[in-house]
Amino acid sequence: MSIFKKYWWKGLSIILLIYTIIAGFLMPSPALPILRDSIRNLYFHVPMWFGMTGLLLGSCYYSLRFLSKNTLKLDIYAAASARVGLFMGILGILTGMQWARTTWGAWWTNDPKLMGSAVGLLIYLAYFVLRNSIDDIDRRAKVSAVFNIMAFAIFIPAIFIVPRLTDSLHPGNGGNPGFSAYDLDSNMRIVFYPAVIGWILLGAWMTSLTARINIIETRIRAGEGIFHSTTPHKEVLDSSIF
Amino acid sequence: MKPFQLFLSLAGMWREVRTLIIKDIKLEWRQRYSFSGILLYLSSTIFLIYISFIEMQPTVWVTLFWIILLFTSVSAVAKSFIQESRARMLYYYSIAHPRAVILAKLIYNSAMMMLLAVVGMGLYILINQSPISQVGYFIGVVITGSISFGLAFTMMSAISSKATQNATLMAILSLPFIIPVLLLLIKLTQTALLDHIEIFPIRDFSLLFALDVIMVLLAVLLFPYLWRD
């Protein structure tokens, strides 16, 4: 029973994603001009951005917690969330490019939303460059936490606010019909909402796996005395820190 | 009593900030070579543009102007923290509040960028034939834009001074941050090409202003954490 309590959300993620894939491809879809069956991409492209935003929010939260608590575990979790968030963002761009090719006729357009997400990805790539350029793990944790909070504060206006102010090809912007105009068809809604939850849970699961692997790696390296740290190695090894 | 104490502490903070700004100006004056180096960099880039292009389209003229200013400000602001030695930072730590240090740097860098931008604009208009018809408006955009550059790059300079190979890292870290500002500025400057401004782009200006406010708030809130080592 306790196992069920601990792991129910992982099971839920698997069930929801299997449902998303089966129902997403087999359920009837509204026959709209131009969009046609490519509308099924809604279950994959849009949840990627939900997942990415959620994970980056989580990463920012861990960084804020790190600045007040100063435990390395929080820094590792922040980095893992950002890494999985970046991965989902790249998947979001790829699925979006595919969709744009089918409906707008080009892999990449000069759309403010595309610009915003490209800027967001560049900022988070810079975050990993910054992390890897600092050897001292305590200093790396502190500096990258500060950068991560700034990155999130710029990422949100870049991806959500700026595109809404100008014309965009995306639904709901610049005179295009909003999101709800498409999924007025309730058949789509009963697949879309579970899909969002399923992908977000999968992202959280991937984050926890990445973070746990990183914690083990850090411990091993601390034991071998490979990296430079002002914290004594014994203290890093001590499980109370993690 | 409370508002009075707040006023006193703000006044004390302002005194610290003023002293630090004066210190920065003095240091700059003693090491004139670095500022003149930046000026030389700016003017030779502008001259290079003149030799490379015989005739420029107005949009290209605008974009190139901002790209030149962008790279000039990366190298101008990069030195603000990277140049400071570790021992000197430790000394500031003992005499001043970290918020005063970052505020002084923000103000100093914005003022320096403003000066550089105005000089750069003069040279650019002088050498490359200017398509700008709204000169007053253009000067306003240049001044606002240079302040934004100064504000955005100051914190990046502080962050990259904590890492190795910091001069290269500074450019890598700050370019994605500045893209939204740069796009806004190019869009705003294109209005200066028109013969007659019908609708003043107030929304873009307020967006730029909002980004500036975010940058200053983040710098003031986060710098104390970055500073302690």
Side-chain angles (χ1 to χ4, degrees):
Chain A
M1 205 57 200
S2 66
I3 292 178
F4 178 75
K5 260 183 190 163
K6 210 172 170 186
Y7 299 117
W8 63 270
W9 58 278
K10 295 179 181 171
L12 183 66
S13 156
I14 294 174
I15 292 166
L16 286 178
L17 289 178
I18 290 174
Y19 166 73
T20 302
I21 291 167
I22 295 173
F25 282 113
L26 297 182
M27 291 270 281
S29 67
L32 293 168
I34 305 170
L35 269 172
R36 298 192 182 281
D37 267 337
S38 80
I39 202 169
R40 296 177 194 280
N41 203 353
L42 180 79
Y43 312 133
F44 304 97
H45 171 65
V46 184
M48 287 304 147
W49 299 108
F50 278 88
M52 180 195 189
T53 314
L55 287 168
L56 294 183
L57 180 70
S59 177
C60 181
Y61 167 75
Y62 282 124
S63 286
L64 279 170
R65 280 273 305 278
F66 172 80
L67 286 183
S68 66
K69 292 257 161 57
N70 236 342
T71 47
L72 274 178
K73 190 183 177 180
L74 290 169
D75 173 60
I76 290 172
Y77 267 93
S81 298
R83 178 160 300 178
V84 179
L86 190 63
F87 177 65
M88 287 189 108
I90 290 169
L91 288 182
I93 286 238
L94 289 178
T95 50
M97 280 168 81
Q98 174 58 45
W99 207 356
R101 178 81 182 105
T102 337
T103 53
W104 302 338
W107 296 107
W108 191 268
T109 59
N110 194 15
D111 189 85
K113 229 166 197 170
L114 296 181
M115 193 278 292
S117 50
V119 169
L121 293 187
L122 282 178
I123 290 176
Y124 279 93
L125 286 172
Y127 169 72
F128 286 106
V129 170
L130 176 69
R131 280 188 76 82
N132 292 329
S133 73
I134 305 175
D135 289 331
D136 181 321
I137 56 164
D138 302 311
R139 183 192 281 196
R140 174 206 289 168
K142 188 175 287 173
V143 174
S144 53
V146 168
F147 186 82
N148 194 13
I149 295 165
M150 292 187 72
F152 191 69
I154 292 298
F155 169 75
I156 288 300
I159 204 166
F160 289 109
I161 300 168
V162 178
R164 280 181 212 288
L165 294 177
T166 46
D167 288 339
S168 169
L169 290 167
H170 274 85
N173 304 97
N176 279 326
F179 207 31
S180 50
Y182 293 137
D183 60 359
L184 263 184
D185 190 344
S186 56
N187 274 333
M188 297 209 67
R189 211 170 279 174
I190 58 171
V191 184
F192 177 65
Y193 294 138
V196 169
I197 297 169
W199 287 113
I200 289 178
L201 288 178
L202 186 73
W205 190 359
M206 284 166 77
T207 303
S208 89
L209 286 178
T210 317
R212 277 153 64 196
I213 291 172
N214 284 345
I215 288 173
I216 293 168
E217 272 176 2
T218 314
R219 269 194 200 152
I220 291 171
R221 275 204 255 162
E224 290 165 357
I226 292 174
F227 64 93
H228 315 282
S229 167
T230 46
T231 323
H233 292 152
K234 203 161 163 286
E235 209 177 302
V236 176
L237 264 178
D238 188 6
S239 57
S240 67
I241 285 189
F242 293 108
Chain B
M1 200 60 201
K2 264 269 165 64
F4 182 64
Q5 277 171 344
L6 184 72
F7 174 75
L8 271 188
S9 71
L10 278 181
M13 177 78 105
W14 170 240
R15 238 190 339 266
E16 274 182 19
V17 171
R18 207 180 45 196
T19 318
L20 285 165
I21 293 175
I22 292 171
K23 179 243 14 167
D24 267 339
I25 295 173
K26 273 185 191 158
L27 270 182
E28 197 76 72
W29 181 248
R30 279 184 206 156
Q31 301 177 325
R32 266 158 298 186
Y33 66 90
S34 75
F35 189 73
S36 20
I38 304 263
L39 272 181
L40 188 62
Y41 176 76
L42 182 64
S43 40
S44 37
T45 319
I46 291 171
F47 188 61
L48 203 70
I49 297 289
Y50 168 69
I51 316 173
S52 325
F53 286 84
I54 309 298
E55 214 171 310
M56 259 190 277
Q57 283 179 343
T59 43
V60 177
W61 192 92
V62 169
T63 314
L64 275 178
F65 174 70
W66 283 113
I67 301 278
I68 293 169
L69 265 195
L70 176 74
F71 282 98
T72 312
S73 49
V74 169
S75 28
V77 179
K79 67 187 173 53
S80 74
F81 276 98
I82 293 168
Q83 215 174 36
E84 305 268 17
S85 67
R86 223 180 136 72
R88 210 194 276 160
M89 287 309 271
L90 212 63
Y91 174 59
Y92 297 152
Y93 184 35
S94 64
I95 57 166
H97 194 273
R99 297 223 162 101
V101 174
I102 192 71
L103 272 176
K105 288 280 187 197
L106 284 170
I107 295 171
Y108 177 75
N109 282 334
S110 317
M112 186 179 69
M113 274 318 300
M114 217 155 79
L115 184 69
L116 274 176
V118 169
V119 172
M121 181 183 67
L123 269 176
Y124 197 62
I125 287 180
L126 201 70
I127 296 179
N128 300 301
Q129 207 169 30
S130 145
I132 297 291
S133 35
Q134 305 286 338
V135 179
Y137 171 84
F138 181 58
I139 292 173
V141 173
V142 168
I143 287 175
T144 353
S146 58
I147 291 173
S148 298
F149 279 179
L151 295 179
F153 287 140
T154 304
M155 196 58 187
M156 289 301 143
S157 162
I159 288 177
S160 51
S161 71
K162 296 281 175 188
T164 47
Q165 290 183 339
N166 34 40
T168 338
L169 196 65
M170 161 95 188
I172 297 170
L173 293 187
S174 44
L175 287 188
F177 267 86
I178 210 74
I179 293 173
V181 174
L182 190 70
L183 290 176
L184 269 177
L185 286 174
I186 290 175
K187 201 177 153 201
L188 281 173
T189 316
Q190 270 163 5
T191 313
L193 299 173
L194 304 172
D195 288 331
H196 175 64
I197 301 178
E198 274 177 30
I199 312 158
F200 190 75
I202 191 78
R203 202 169 61 175
D204 291 334
F205 266 111
S206 42
L207 209 59
L208 195 63
F209 183 68
L211 284 174
D212 285 354
V213 170
I214 292 177
M215 277 297 170
V216 172
L217 274 181
L218 285 174
V220 170
L221 287 177
L222 293 175
F223 186 70
Y225 293 102
L226 196 66
W227 161 270
R228 264 176 265 143
D229 223 8

